[in-house]
Amino acid sequence: MAKIYVFLLGLLLNPTIIVADVIFFGANESPPFWSTSLPHQGMCGEILQAMSEQAGLETKIEFKPLKRLIEDTENNDLGNPRFYIEQQDFAYILPIALYEAVFYYYEPNFIEQPIQFSTLADLKHYKIGILKGTLLDKATFEDLGIQFESSYSHASIVKKLKLGRIDLGLEIDLVSKLTINRLYPELATNFKEIRIPNTIAPIAIMINENLPNAQYIARQYKQALQHIIEQGRYQKIIEKYYGKKGLPAGWLKKLQRFERLYNFGRME
């Protein structure tokens, strides 16, 4: 009887965790972070697959427009949590990379009157191109008289810059560089970058709270990320896109800070 009791107690304390055969995530096409046209589906796609391999999970990425991803409240998402958390509840948000926002403009269009601004209000003199669904505080900008034109793709923003249909493109650093080099490699030096202070943001995997065994799966991904960082595998993936200088300064600490920010009280 004692042996049966111990056996049953063991089952209660260590229940079998059943995980779906495949865990699906939704991503917006945004090379080099996520893309069907790049090896391993981009930089973050490669990080996610390395994590999945380490954790023994099978993961697949489905690419959809950002607006559709935000409106779907039952899926697992990939990207900047700020675009999703007002619409959807997640069991866990795990940052796996970082990005920084920049303005781009096409210099030949501003030979006579160069782009100049020092405050947010100065931007009212320019028409700004953005990716549809990414403007989070529209009313604030409208009150300042700032004009935006939405596009469904990063390529469309770059083309509009060159044609002069917009003055500035609000973009992601690595995304804009890759898009420009793909579309206009011979004109790439004509596209100028203006870095925007304090705009570093996370790229995360977001586990839907209704996914069966969501907490267990999130824990597996979190442990796997730590393992591939300790192995140096993570750093080698980043080097492919940032060059031999490797991880930008403070990268891992910032990842941890964003993880604490988004998961305060969510998981032990």
Side-chain angles (χ1 to χ4, degrees):
M1 180 67 70
K3 289 183 178 179
I4 294 175
Y5 174 78
V6 171
F7 175 71
L8 293 174
L9 183 61
L11 288 179
L12 290 171
L13 294 176
N14 299 286
T16 300
I17 300 294
I18 299 173
V19 178
D21 291 337
V22 182
I23 302 168
F24 290 93
F25 286 91
N28 176 56
E29 183 77 25
S30 50
F33 300 110
W34 311 103
S35 179
T36 56
S37 63
L38 292 174
H40 310 290
Q41 298 180 306
M43 183 181 87
C44 294
E46 187 169 357
I47 292 170
L48 179 56
Q49 292 304 333
M51 291 165 55
S52 302
E53 185 180 305
Q54 177 70 39
L57 300 172
E58 186 176 354
T59 303
K60 288 192 177 179
I61 302 173
E62 299 177 309
F63 288 86
K64 299 176 183 179
L66 181 61
K67 189 172 184 292
R68 282 180 57 194
L69 292 173
I70 293 172
E71 290 173 348
D72 185 350
T73 60
E74 296 300 319
N75 63 338
N76 304 305
D77 288 299
L78 302 168
N80 184 341
R82 286 192 66 200
F83 300 140
Y84 299 89
I85 56 177
E86 288 188 8
Q87 303 290 332
Q88 186 173 349
D89 293 322
F90 296 101
Y92 205 76
I93 295 172
L94 180 62
I96 64 170
L98 302 169
Y99 72 87
E100 188 172 8
V102 294
F103 281 122
Y104 265 90
Y105 65 97
Y106 190 63
E107 190 175 43
N109 292 339
F110 296 93
I111 298 299
E112 295 182 5
Q113 191 171 0
I115 292 275
Q116 289 183 341
F117 63 88
S118 57
T119 67
L120 194 60
D122 293 337
L123 291 174
K124 67 183 179 183
H125 302 298
Y126 305 104
K127 181 178 284 189
I128 303 168
I130 58 170
L131 194 66
K132 191 171 183 63
T134 60
L135 186 59
L136 298 175
D137 193 2
K138 187 176 180 181
T140 298
F141 294 105
E142 287 180 342
D143 289 345
L144 292 169
I146 299 172
Q147 305 174 67
F148 289 96
E149 181 170 326
S150 297
S151 296
Y152 282 97
S153 70
H154 300 284
S156 177
I157 293 174
V158 172
K159 289 176 182 178
K160 288 176 181 178
L161 283 174
K162 183 177 179 297
L163 293 172
R165 285 181 53 185
I166 57 176
D167 303 312
L168 293 165
L170 180 57
E171 271 285 14
I172 297 168
D173 48 6
L174 288 183
V175 173
S176 51
K177 287 177 183 176
L178 183 66
T179 306
I180 290 167
N181 285 326
R182 276 182 169 180
L183 290 174
Y184 306 111
E186 72 287 356
L187 300 174
T189 56
N190 288 335
F191 289 88
K192 302 301 180 182
E193 174 186 285
I194 302 172
R195 304 199 77 79
I196 308 172
N198 304 315
T199 57
I200 292 176
I203 301 170
I205 67 171
M206 291 163 270
I207 311 293
N208 188 282
E209 68 169 2
N210 295 322
L211 180 71
N213 300 305
Q215 292 286 351
Y216 171 79
I217 291 169
R219 198 172 288 114
Q220 294 299 100
Y221 279 123
K222 181 179 179 180
Q223 291 172 355
L225 177 61
Q226 188 59 41
H227 281 308
I228 66 170
I229 290 172
E230 290 170 355
Q231 296 162 359
R233 186 175 178 184
Y234 177 92
Q235 291 84 335
K236 288 180 180 178
I237 294 171
I238 299 294
E239 280 181 11
K240 295 179 184 179
Y241 298 86
Y242 278 87
K244 288 297 180 182
K245 65 180 182 179
L247 291 177
W251 180 285
L252 295 178
K253 287 186 178 180
K254 288 169 185 172
L255 279 185
Q256 293 172 353
R257 179 170 62 82
F258 280 118
E259 184 186 1
R260 290 193 298 270
L261 174 67
Y262 282 112
N263 297 296
F264 180 75
R266 270 197 177 124
M267 191 185 338
E268 294 291 329

